[in-house]
């Protein structure tokens, strides 16, 4: 199963996959970080579509087209803001991965790329977030036989190191 996981360092907007996941906010109207990069690369049609979707609660996922991105789809999910760990942040982050993968399955996506949801502006500790990302993906891949590759796109060397270490431990 490990062969269906890829850890790469780079920019998610450049990934040649069927779907990329966006770490959005509940408004789905764009923002900074990876959300800003995705909106810039996809072009203004993306905002037109997400405006119509009308928002997304934390832990859930919504789908739009990818427009000028190499990816056909963008799956927008909203991670929790880290508030110390007693506000079900871990459960909500797990929901993001589970619900994004569920949407991908519904769309027939064979390759998907994730950023490290909630670990930027939302301050979720990277090691804990990585563990949740990989464990949820493992659970999904155990049942799903059509997804070929799940790519984790790491923004920088530090994140890449954390993901690679966690991969060895969890898979
Ligand atoms: N490709 C891959 N990863 C990236 C990229 C990129 N182009 N740019 C940043 N990252 P963040 P959050 C990494 O802050 O914590 C937005 O304003 C980054 O290093 O983008 O979920 C939204 O609108 C970090 O590891 O998302 C929300 O308001 C990870 O992506 C809020 O930020 C996530 O960092 C969401 O915060």
């Amino acid at each position: 199963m490990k062969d269906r996981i890829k850890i790469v360092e780079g920019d998610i907007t450049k990934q040649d996959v069927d779907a990329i996941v966006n770490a959005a906010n509940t408004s789905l109207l764009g923002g900074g970080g990876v959300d800003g990069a995705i909106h810039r690369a996809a072009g203004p049609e993306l905002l037109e579509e997400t405006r119509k979707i009308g928002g997304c609660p934390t832990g859930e996922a919504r789908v739009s087209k990818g427009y000028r991105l190499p990816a056909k789809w963008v799956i927008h999910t909203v991670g929790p803001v880290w508030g110390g760990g007693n506000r079900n942040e871990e459960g909500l982050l797990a929901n993001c991965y589970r619900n994004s993968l569920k949407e991908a399955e519904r769309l027939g996506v064979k390759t998907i790329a994730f950023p490290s949801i909630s670990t930027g502006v939302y301050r979720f500790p990277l090691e804990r977030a990585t563990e949740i990302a990989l464990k949820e993906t493992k659970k999904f891949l155990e049942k799903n036989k059509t997804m070929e590759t799940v790519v984790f796109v790491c923004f920088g060397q530090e994140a890449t190191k954390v993901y690679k270490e966690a991969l060895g431990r969890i898979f």
Side-chain angles (χ1 to χ4, degrees), residues 10-12 23-25 30-35 37 116-122 153 155:
D11 180 350
I12 200 164
N25 60 61
V34 72
D35 194 7
S116 180
I117 300 161
S118 280
T119 66
V121 177
Y122 285 177
V153 183
F155 208 57

Side-chain angles (χ1 to χ4, degrees), residues 35-125:
D35 194 7
I38 289 172
H39 275 270
R40 276 193 301 279
E45 297 95 335
L46 178 58
L47 182 58
E48 269 176 48
E49 184 175 353
T50 57
R51 208 187 283 286
K52 286 184 195 139
I53 297 171
C56 176
T58 303
E60 294 189 17
R62 299 286 183 272
V63 174
S64 76
K65 288 186 263 183
Y67 300 98
R68 297 174 205 176
L69 290 163
K72 183 174 181 198
W73 306 107
V74 180
I75 299 172
H76 306 264
T77 189
V78 182
V81 177
W82 181 257
N86 293 320
R87 298 180 193 168
N88 192 30
E89 292 95 326
E90 296 194 334
L92 289 166
L93 187 62
N95 289 349
C96 289
Y97 286 94
R98 204 161 39 241
N99 287 321
S100 298
L101 289 164
K102 200 194 283 176
E103 286 300 306
E105 187 171 50
R106 184 176 67 77
L107 295 165
V109 159
K110 291 197 163 59
T111 54
I112 186 169
F114 279 95
S116 180
I117 300 161
S118 280
T119 66
V121 177
Y122 285 177
R123 303 181 316 271
F124 202 114

Side-chain angles (χ1 to χ4, degrees), residues 16-20 104 108-113 146-151:
D16 197 3
V17 288
D18 297 335
I20 63 170
V109 159
K110 291 197 163 59
T111 54
I112 186 169
T146 52
M147 183 70 72
E148 289 168 5
T149 313
V150 179
V151 184

